């Protein structure tokens, strides 16, 4: 427990120092309150963004429902929902294709040229097509996020399968296992660290894409609210939304990291 507290304090040192310097600079008049409001002003706006927009009226409904009716929670839920659905679609398509491409040279040679042509195209470039194909709302966001998550998972899966240590493969052949057993008991477990690394990168990319897509195609979410705040020069609300995105990303990344450590506890690099 003490080690965890020490690690937390060590990790929080730089962010706290930045906040102190930022607050001191704002109070000294070094920064414009319109362009770069102080951390305390951002905190006040973040709290107002979190609270319900209307007062609670007894008898009008459940208190808890009213308590979570604030814009921030609604926007965070909308963004997180789009990230999860889009990521599941992208990773769900990338994982089997990556496994097959990594395990079969003929399929790899067949699909690799197309993958290498499409991979450098940023998901943002698909925005006009996404709107033309899917209109407005969640579908174009799902499409863009799926593209953003697809290639990190695909490329890491391919790399993981193709970099399985030959000693494992030769040992399995000497034991007389068939190809399916070798794939499920040797190749797939050995490539899991690469796959999970791709999952972690893919989720990070999904968070980037969801904010851009919400600025274009939907009328809620953190990206939409940041764009709305820009129109009214609400810099404090813009920064509050950005901090919320960062906190959500930190929570998701920490959860994925812990899941990776649990699934890879057999890996000698994670032994304690």
């Amino acid at each position: 427990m003490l080690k965890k507290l020490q690690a937390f304090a060590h990790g929080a040192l730089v962010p706290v120092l930045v906040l102190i310097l930022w607050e001191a600079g704002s109070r000294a008049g070094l920064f414009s309150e319109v362009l770069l409001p102080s951390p305390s002003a951002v905190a006040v706006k973040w709290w107002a963004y979190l609270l319900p927009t209307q007062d609670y009226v007894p008898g009008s409904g459940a208190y808890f429902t009213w308590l979570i009716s604030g814009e921030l929670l609604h926007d965070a839920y909308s963004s997180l929902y789009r990230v999860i659905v889009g990521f599941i679609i992208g990773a769900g398509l990338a994982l089997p294709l990556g496994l097959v491409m990594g395990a079969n040279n003929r399929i790899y040679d067949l699909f690799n040229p197309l993958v290498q042509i499409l991979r450098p195209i940023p998901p943002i470039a698909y925005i006009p097509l996404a709107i033309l194909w899917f209109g407005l709302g969640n579908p174009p966001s799902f499409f863009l996020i799926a593209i953003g998550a697809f290639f990190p998972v695909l490329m890491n899966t391919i790399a993981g399968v193709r970099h399985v240590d030959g000693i494992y493969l030769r040992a399995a052949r000497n034991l007389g296992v068939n190809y399916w057993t070798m794939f499920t008991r040797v190749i797939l477990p050995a490539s899991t660290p690469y796959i999970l690394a791709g999952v972690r990168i893919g989720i990070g990319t999904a968070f980037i894409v969801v904010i851009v897509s919400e600025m274009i195609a939907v009328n809620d979410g953190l990206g939409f609210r940041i764009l709305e705040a820009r129109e009214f020069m609400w810099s404090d609300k813009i920064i509050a939304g950005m901090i919320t995105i960062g906190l959500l990303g930190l929570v998701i990344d920490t959860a994925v990291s812990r899941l990776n450590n649990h699934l890879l506890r057999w890996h000698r690099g994670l032994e304690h």
Side-chain angles (χ1 to χ4, degrees):
M1 185 65 178
L2 182 60
K3 289 184 177 180
K4 290 183 178 180
L5 290 175
Q6 290 176 341
F8 176 80
H10 183 74
L13 180 61
V14 173
V16 170
L17 181 60
V18 169
L19 289 174
I20 292 173
L21 293 175
W22 179 7
E23 182 72 29
S26 297
R27 291 182 180 273
L30 298 179
F31 311 127
S32 168
E33 280 295 322
V34 175
L35 299 180
L36 185 61
S38 64
S40 56
V42 172
V44 170
K45 176 58 69 173
W46 188 88
W47 183 250
Y49 188 17
L50 175 65
L51 293 176
T53 56
Q54 298 178 351
D55 295 332
Y56 177 68
V57 178
S60 61
Y63 180 79
F64 180 75
T65 302
W66 168 83
L67 191 64
I68 61 173
S69 64
E71 275 188 345
L72 178 59
L73 293 178
H74 174 73
D75 290 336
Y77 168 79
S78 298
S79 296
L80 196 58
Y81 168 72
R82 294 181 184 111
V83 166
I84 292 174
V85 174
F87 176 80
I88 289 175
I89 295 172
L93 294 173
L95 184 59
L97 179 60
L99 291 173
V100 173
M101 288 180 64
N104 191 300
N105 286 330
R106 290 184 178 179
I107 295 179
Y108 178 85
D109 293 337
L110 181 65
F111 282 96
N112 187 57
L114 178 62
V115 169
Q116 298 307 324
I117 290 172
L118 297 177
R119 186 167 64 92
I121 303 174
I124 298 172
Y126 290 92
I127 288 177
L129 287 178
I131 294 175
L132 286 175
W133 292 346
F134 302 103
L136 301 177
N138 284 330
S141 295
F142 295 154
F143 173 73
L144 295 170
I145 295 166
I147 291 176
F150 177 83
F151 289 103
V153 176
L154 176 69
M155 301 309 297
N156 277 271
T157 302
I158 294 173
V161 174
R162 294 176 73 86
H163 285 83
V164 175
D165 197 324
I167 294 177
Y168 301 151
L169 301 179
R170 289 193 294 271
R173 292 193 188 101
N174 290 338
L175 292 173
V177 301
N178 57 39
Y179 184 80
W180 177 250
T181 302
M182 180 182 293
F183 183 82
T184 56
R185 302 296 297 273
V186 178
I187 295 177
L188 187 58
S191 61
T192 299
Y194 286 83
I195 296 173
L196 294 179
V199 167
R200 192 172 180 180
I201 297 171
I203 290 179
T205 306
F207 263 99
I208 296 172
V209 177
V210 71
I211 301 305
V212 177
S213 68
E214 287 177 344
M215 291 181 176
I216 304 298
V218 297
N219 58 2
D220 61 0
L222 295 170
F224 170 81
R225 207 63 63 185
I226 289 173
L227 186 64
E228 180 187 57
R230 188 205 67 177
E231 298 294 332
F232 295 96
M233 293 289 291
W234 294 337
S235 299
D236 49 0
K237 192 169 185 177
I238 292 174
I239 298 174
M242 292 168 61
I243 291 174
T244 304
I245 295 167
L247 292 175
L248 280 176
L250 176 63
V251 170
I252 296 297
D253 185 73
T254 301
V256 173
S257 179
R258 289 182 179 274
L259 178 62
N260 288 0
N261 292 342
H262 175 72
L263 295 177
L264 299 178
R265 60 190 182 278
W266 54 268
H267 195 269
R268 62 185 178 184
L270 296 177
E271 288 179 352
H272 299 287

